[in-house]
Amino acid sequence: MTSILDNLQALPFRDIISVNEQGILLVNGRPLDNESGMQLRESSRAALQSVALKFINDQVAFNAVTMGVHKVERPEQMVFSRAAIWWGQQQLIQLRLLAGDDGTSPKDD
C-alpha cells in the first residue's frame, strides 16, 4: 500500500531533505547539482533573514499560545497549538540545514 501511495505521490513516506553518510545534502534522495544547490542555499538564507517571515512566525507562535494556554476549552486545542509551534521549529531547522548553517552563527529564535 505504501508503494502505491508513494508512486502516486499522495503522501511523502520518506524524508524529502536529508544528509547522507558523506555529509552530502539530498533532496528526494538525490544530490543537487551545483546550480540548484546554490539557489536552494541562497533562497533558504533569504527566508531566514526575512523580516516578514519572522513576524509571521512570531504571530503564529503567539496565536498558538493564546489558543492553547489562555483560551483552551478542549484538549485538542492544546495539542493543535503545540503542533503549530512544532511546525515553526521544524521550519527553522530545515531552513538552517538548507542554508548550510554549520551551527556557528547566532540564532534569532
Side-chain angles (χ1 to χ4, degrees), residues 4-5 18 28 30 33 40 42 45 51-52 55-56 58 63 67 69 71 82 87-88 93-94 98 100 104-105:
I4 293 171
L5 291 173
S18 60
N28 291 323
R30 294 184 211 107
D33 60 65
L40 188 57
E42 291 307 313
R45 288 178 179 169
V51 175
F55 285 149
I56 290 167
D58 290 348
N63 291 348
M67 182 177 76
V69 176
K71 295 182 178 180
R82 289 182 71 180
W87 175 276
I93 288 168
Q94 297 304 318
L98 294 175
T104 59
S105 60

Side-chain angles (χ1 to χ4, degrees), residues 60-71:
V60 169
F62 174 79
N63 291 348
V65 170
T66 298
M67 182 177 76
V69 176
H70 303 294
K71 295 182 178 180

